[in-house]
C-alpha cells in the first residue's frame, strides 16, 4: 500500500508539475487578458502598407511606399510594373496582403532604394535632403526635410544651416558622431591586437576596457560637436571622458 501511494503521488506530480515531478512553488495562470500597447489598432505601420479602410487601390499604396523608399517624387507610370506584379500575384490566388508584400519587396530590390542617385552637375532639393539625412542621421529624411524639399527651400543657405543645427541637436545625431569617428580613427580595429593577459595589462581584461575605449572617444567627440568647441581641442585639451 505504501508503494502504491508513492507511485500514485508520483504520477499526480508528473501530471500537475511536469515529468520531473518538481514539488516546489509554481505559478498557476487561470486567465489572461492581453491589450496592445499601441495608440491605435491596426498600428500605423500596418495601415501605411495595407491601407486603413480597405478602399485604397494597389497603385495608391505602392505609390506611397515608393515615394518613401525612393526618397522623392514618384509618378504612377514608375510603379506600373509593380502594380502589374501585384495583380499577377492576386490572379495566382494570393491574398491582397501577400501580393502587396511581393510588390514592396520588388521596390526594395530596386537600385533607386539601395543607392543615392545624384547627378554630376547640381543636386535637387530631395537629393540634398537625402545626403544631409544619411550624413547626420544614417537614415532617410524625416517629414520636415521632405516638406522643405517639396517646397524647394533646402537650396536656401539659411534654411539648410537651420536644418543642420536642428538635426545635430536631435538624438539621431549620435549615429553621425559614432560612425564618423569610427571611420576617421578606425575604432573598429580596437581590440584586434590586445595586450598580454599577464603582467601589468591584466587591468585591460579585469575592467573590460576594450568596449569602453570607443565609447570614451565617442563621448569626447560628441561633447565637442554639441558645444561647437575649437578644433584644436582634438589635439590639445585639458579634459577627457572616462
Amino acid at each position: 500500500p505504501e508503494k502504491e501511494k508513492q507511485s500514485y503521488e508520483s504520477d499526480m506530480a508528473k501530471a500537475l508539475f511536469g515529468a520531473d515531478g518538481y514539488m516546489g512553488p509554481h505559478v498557476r495562470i487561470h486567465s489572461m487578458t492581453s491589450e496592445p500597447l499601441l495608440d491605435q489598432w491596426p498600428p500605423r505601420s500596418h495601415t501605411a502598407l495595407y491601407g486603413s479602410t480597405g478602399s485604397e487601390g494597389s497603385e495608391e499604396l505602392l505609390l506611397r511606399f515608393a515615394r518613401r523608399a525612393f526618397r522623392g517624387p514618384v509618378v504612377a507610370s514608375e510603379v506600373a510594373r509593380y502594380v502589374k506584379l501585384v495583380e499577377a500575384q492576386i490572379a495566382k490566388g494570393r491574398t491582397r496582403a501577400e501580393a502587396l508584400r511581393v510588390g514592396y519587396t520588388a521596390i526594395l530590390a530596386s537600385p533607386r532604394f539601395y543607392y543615392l542617385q545624384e547627378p554630376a552637375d547640381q543636386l535637387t532639393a530631395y537629393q540634398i535632403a537625402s545626403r544631409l539625412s544619411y550624413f547626420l542621421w544614417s537614415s532617410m529624411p524625416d517629414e520636415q526635410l521632405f516638406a522643405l524639399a517639396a517646397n524647394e527651400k533646402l537650396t536656401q543657405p539659411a534654411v539648410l544651416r537651420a536644418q543642420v543645427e536642428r538635426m545635430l541637436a536631435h538624438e539621431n545625431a549620435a549615429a553621425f558622431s559614432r560612425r564618423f569617428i569610427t571611420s576617421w580613427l578606425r575604432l573598429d580595429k580596437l581590440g584586434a591586437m590586445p595586450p598580454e593577459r599577464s603582467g601589468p595589462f591584466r587591468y585591460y581584461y579585469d575592467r573590460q576596457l576594450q568596449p569602453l575605449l570607443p565609447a570614451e572617444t565617442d563621448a569626447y567627440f560628441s561633447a565637442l560637436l554639441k558645444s561647437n568647441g575649437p578644433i584644436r581641442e582634438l589635439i590639445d585639451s585639458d579634459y577627457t571622458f572616462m
Side-chain angles (χ1 to χ4, degrees):
E2 185 63 30
K3 289 183 178 180
E4 292 180 358
K5 179 181 178 182
Q6 292 177 355
S7 176
Y8 173 78
E9 291 177 348
S10 176
D11 292 340
M12 288 297 296
K14 291 179 180 179
L16 292 173
F17 306 117
D20 58 353
Y22 173 64
M23 298 293 291
H26 284 73
V27 175
R28 296 186 181 182
I29 301 175
H30 298 281
S31 65
M32 178 183 295
T33 302
S34 75
E35 297 181 3
L37 299 178
L38 300 169
D39 56 356
Q40 69 177 54
W41 187 263
R44 290 187 178 91
S45 57
H46 185 277
T47 57
L49 293 174
Y50 307 111
S52 56
T53 63
S55 61
E56 297 92 334
S58 298
E59 181 181 83
E60 179 183 353
L61 293 172
L62 288 166
L63 263 175
R64 186 165 62 195
F65 184 86
R67 284 167 181 158
R68 290 184 59 80
F70 298 157
R71 300 167 291 270
V74 177
V75 296
S77 60
E78 295 177 285
V79 298
R81 57 177 175 169
Y82 302 116
V83 174
K84 291 181 180 180
L85 178 62
V86 170
E87 293 173 347
Q89 294 297 314
I90 294 176
K92 291 180 180 179
R94 291 198 173 190
T95 65
R96 180 172 177 268
E98 291 173 340
L100 282 170
R101 283 198 290 271
V102 173
Y104 295 146
T105 302
I107 290 175
L108 295 179
S110 169
R112 289 184 65 180
F113 171 72
Y114 275 110
Y115 303 104
L116 299 181
Q117 299 180 343
E118 299 178 348
D121 48 2
Q122 188 174 2
L123 296 176
T124 67
Y126 282 98
Q127 290 161 348
I128 292 175
S130 290
R131 178 180 284 200
L132 189 64
S133 184
Y134 282 100
F135 178 54
L136 296 180
W137 285 354
S138 298
S139 182
M140 65 180 293
D142 63 356
E143 294 300 329
Q144 186 169 340
L145 283 174
F146 275 136
L148 291 171
N151 295 324
E152 295 292 334
K153 290 185 177 181
L154 273 182
T155 55
Q156 301 175 13
V159 175
L160 188 59
R161 177 180 291 274
Q163 285 303 301
V164 170
E165 296 293 340
R166 175 183 75 89
M167 296 176 72
L168 285 176
H170 196 278
E171 60 182 7
N172 290 351
F176 166 71
S177 61
R178 181 174 63 253
R179 294 177 187 274
F180 177 78
I181 60 173
T182 297
S183 177
W184 173 37
L185 302 174
R186 294 312 309 264
L187 297 182
D188 56 306
K189 290 185 174 294
L190 282 177
M193 299 178 65
E196 296 181 357
R197 290 184 174 272
S198 59
F201 300 111
R202 280 292 304 274
Y203 187 82
Y204 179 88
Y205 298 96
D206 294 342
R207 298 295 183 178
Q208 299 182 349
L209 293 184
Q210 193 278 322
L212 300 181
L213 298 178
E216 291 171 353
T217 310
D218 187 6
Y220 181 92
F221 182 80
S222 297
L224 186 66
L225 183 67
K226 291 179 180 178
S227 64
N228 197 25
I231 194 172
R232 64 176 178 270
E233 290 191 1
L234 290 171
I235 301 174
D236 184 19
S237 65
D238 60 355
Y239 67 95
T240 187
F241 289 77
M242 177 174 285

